[in-house]
Amino acid sequence: MIGLIGLIIVGVVLLQEPPKKKEKVTQPKDHKPTYRSTYHFTTPDKWMNDPQRPIYLDGKYHYYYLYNRDYPNDNGTEWRHATSKDLVHWKDEGIAIPKYTNKNGDPWTGSVVIDQNNTAGFGKGAFIAIVTQPSADGGKQEQYLWYSTDKGKTFKSYRDHPVMPNPGTKDFRDPKVIWDDQENKWVLLMAEGSKIGFYESHNLKDWRYTGAFMTQNIGIVECPDLYQMKTNDGTYKWILGASANGKSIGKPNTYAYWIGDFTGSGFNTDQTEPKWLDHGFDWYGGVTFESGKKNEKFTKRYAIAWMNSWDYPNETPTMDEGFNGFNSVVRQIQLKHIGSHDYSLVSQPISSLEKLTYRTDSIRKLKVKGSRKLKASGDAYQLDADISWSEAKNIGIRLRESKDKSRHIDVGIFPQGGYSYVNRGSTIQPDKSNKYVESRAYFDKNKHNVHLKILVDKTSIEVFIDDGQVVHSSEVFAPLDDREISLFSDDGTAIFKNVKIQHFHSIKEN
């Protein structure tokens, strides 16, 4: 695709319809140049990786994530806590589960639930976390219970012995706990190599194996997920998800999911291969979680992931600022019936992000043949555009472009090849091997239009195609002065309509 994007540009036009500013508001305050995200959640310092599923209580979402206070000099993760009322602005609440406080190793990924019925005996409404730790007995991956009686601020270890001993397998981690309303029991999913194990309990302490779901050709699975959703045609479906590595078969290394039926003891599906919630390079360890409103339990769900990859975890300019780690924006996900028989999850950025808007640039319509630079520029915004074409071979938008046009990130559609893409090869990016430069996803070559919604921030690009049927999320490290935006259409004319660029304040300022 680099060669295609580098085609000779014909008829470069620098004129455009003047942007229409819909509102007049105060510009954000000037700050020292930084690679810290403007509107994405970032660790205050040091290191972060896997998110733990947020839960809702008393008007706030409680979010935990793996944090290493000793990075980059020493290892070991612990659970750090943050809260939010709108899933955009976050308050740091400090360490909730510290590392190396019992005989076992550091806390890894797990999940937390609110024990409303006091099934575990720590009190009604206690926060219960089931967490993987490498045990003192040889470092085996085993599951331990931690509990909190102060609404999730601090947790105590239940005991030094596991509530789920290792059954004799190398991989036995990332427990995900849900409540089964039908059978009044706790259900736990476990990542066990290429298998997802199912377990049940009535007290969160004693667990019984009930079944398994076997995956194929997507490597070792991590961070399993299970939930039920109501579709847009009124039916209910179960979704089983997991972080997985499909690189060996040309698939993403993000969140794989299957649609089917939860039987109470396992999961059945007719899918031969999983679908993928993201096609970019940096949307890993993803978790989904319920809305805080009970009447939205089956219709509205959110998702968040770690924006990094274990192929290049330490390649970021933020290291010079003393931190490494940020999350994707929170998305709303829905299960939709698309086409005659197919169901898929679709994603949209959470709507409360738009409250960060301090200026909007709008363009009703532009015809583009070759390249057209916009007067609008920036490094933290949401861009929407409707694009149509008849004969053009490569259509899209160049983001974070340098003034001399030598650096840019390209988001586009290549109809002849039948795919959408995000190409970060012409700017600074984390993959030194250059294997992961252009992400691709299927696009119907018979279509001649597309809607793009693109979120740009200091070190990230998230692209939502056709109402979020396809998403690409990737890290990018464009120099801070690279802020230009251009539209392009190669070997034909494309029409860009309803172009809207919403520039965002920093979440630190609101």
Side-chain angles (χ1 to χ4, degrees), residues 213 237 258-261 267-274 341:
F213 179 82
K237 298 286 185 180
W258 300 259
I259 299 168
D261 296 302
F267 184 83
N268 295 326
T269 182
D270 294 330
Q271 286 180 237
T272 56
E273 294 184 0
H341 302 289

Side-chain angles (χ1 to χ4, degrees), residues 122-280:
F122 298 107
K124 187 176 180 180
F127 281 39
I128 308 295
I130 307 295
V131 183
T132 302
Q133 290 179 254
S135 71
D137 181 18
K140 295 178 292 187
Q141 295 177 13
E142 301 188 303
Q143 316 316 311
Y144 295 83
L145 188 152
W146 293 71
Y147 66 96
S148 171
T149 55
D150 59 3
K151 297 185 177 180
K153 293 181 181 178
T154 58
F155 285 75
K156 297 178 182 178
S157 175
Y158 165 52
R159 67 185 187 194
D160 288 341
H161 301 296
V163 294
M164 296 185 73
N166 189 295
T169 180
K170 176 184 176 182
D171 298 300
F172 189 68
R173 63 174 184 266
D174 307 342
K176 181 63 60 67
V177 181
I178 66 169
W179 177 254
D180 182 348
D181 288 317
Q182 298 298 314
E183 299 189 19
N184 291 317
K185 66 180 181 180
W186 296 103
V187 172
L188 182 148
L189 282 70
M190 190 76 70
E192 304 177 26
S194 59
K195 178 181 80 171
I196 297 174
F198 285 76
Y199 301 79
E200 65 180 10
S201 174
H202 293 282
N203 61 8
L204 291 165
K205 299 174 181 176
D206 303 300
W207 293 91
R208 186 178 74 89
Y209 176 78
T210 62
F213 179 82
M214 303 301 299
T215 67
Q216 295 181 356
N217 301 320
I218 55 172
I220 294 173
V221 296
E222 298 184 299
C223 307
D225 201 6
L226 180 68
Y227 47 96
Q228 189 178 26
M229 296 197 76
K230 183 180 180 180
T231 70
N232 59 328
D233 65 8
T235 59
Y236 288 81
K237 298 286 185 180
W238 283 90
I239 296 99
L240 175 66
S243 286
N245 185 351
K247 289 183 292 187
S248 65
I249 55 172
K251 300 297 182 181
N253 180 26
T254 60
Y255 182 105
Y257 69 93
W258 300 259
I259 299 168
D261 296 302
F262 172 54
T263 65
S265 58
F267 184 83
N268 295 326
T269 182
D270 294 330
Q271 286 180 237
T272 56
E273 294 184 0
K275 298 173 182 285
W276 299 85
L277 197 54
D278 200 288
H279 292 263

Side-chain angles (χ1 to χ4, degrees), residues 259-398:
I259 299 168
D261 296 302
F262 172 54
T263 65
S265 58
F267 184 83
N268 295 326
T269 182
D270 294 330
Q271 286 180 237
T272 56
E273 294 184 0
K275 298 173 182 285
W276 299 85
L277 197 54
D278 200 288
H279 292 263
F281 298 123
D282 300 302
W283 206 85
Y284 198 72
V287 293
T288 70
F289 57 102
E290 294 177 5
S291 162
K293 298 178 181 179
K294 291 184 179 180
N295 63 345
E296 296 177 338
K297 179 177 181 180
F298 299 109
T299 57
K300 181 180 288 187
R301 197 168 182 89
Y302 299 116
I304 191 171
W306 177 50
M307 286 200 72
N308 203 339
S309 169
W310 289 115
D311 288 306
Y312 39 75
N314 302 308
E315 298 294 334
T316 169
T318 67
M319 294 275 287
D320 294 335
E321 299 180 42
F323 75 98
N324 182 356
F326 70 106
N327 288 145
S328 67
V329 296
V330 175
R331 337 171 161 172
Q332 180 183 330
I333 60 172
Q334 294 176 293
L335 184 61
K336 288 192 174 183
H337 194 192
I338 301 171
S340 57
H341 302 289
D342 197 24
Y343 290 92
S344 293
L345 290 174
V346 298
S347 302
Q348 285 291 311
I350 190 169
S351 60
S352 50
L353 271 174
E354 298 193 12
K355 295 179 181 179
L356 297 174
T357 304
Y358 70 86
R359 189 183 80 242
T360 299
D361 296 321
S362 301
I363 305 165
R364 286 193 298 270
K365 181 178 179 179
L366 276 177
K367 289 185 178 180
V368 178
K369 185 176 183 180
S371 176
R372 201 161 193 174
K373 177 183 172 183
L374 302 185
K375 291 182 179 179
S377 63
D379 59 14
Y381 55 85
Q382 175 178 292
L383 186 155
D384 283 88
D386 293 306
I387 312 172
S388 60
W389 62 90
S390 56
E391 302 297 331
K393 294 184 178 179
N394 185 31
I395 311 102
I397 304 175
R398 291 199 175 95

Side-chain angles (χ1 to χ4, degrees), residues 47 58 108 124 163 168 224 244 301 349 494 510:
W47 166 270
D58 297 337
W108 297 354
K124 187 176 180 180
V163 294
R301 197 168 182 89
N510 287 261

Side-chain angles (χ1 to χ4, degrees), residues 381-426:
Y381 55 85
Q382 175 178 292
L383 186 155
D384 283 88
D386 293 306
I387 312 172
S388 60
W389 62 90
S390 56
E391 302 297 331
K393 294 184 178 179
N394 185 31
I395 311 102
I397 304 175
R398 291 199 175 95
L399 306 158
R400 300 299 303 275
E401 189 172 35
S402 59
K403 291 184 183 298
D404 66 1
K405 299 188 178 182
S406 65
R407 294 185 301 274
H408 44 83
I409 301 137
D410 295 345
V411 174
I413 306 296
F414 188 54
Q416 186 176 358
Y419 58 84
S420 64
Y421 65 89
V422 174
N423 189 298
R424 61 185 183 180
S426 295

Side-chain angles (χ1 to χ4, degrees), residues 70-89:
D70 300 312
Y71 179 80
N73 299 318
D74 206 353
N75 294 320
T77 56
E78 50 204 334
W79 281 30
R80 191 156 184 160
H81 182 199
T83 56
S84 177
K85 295 180 180 179
D86 62 1
L87 297 174
V88 174
H89 301 88

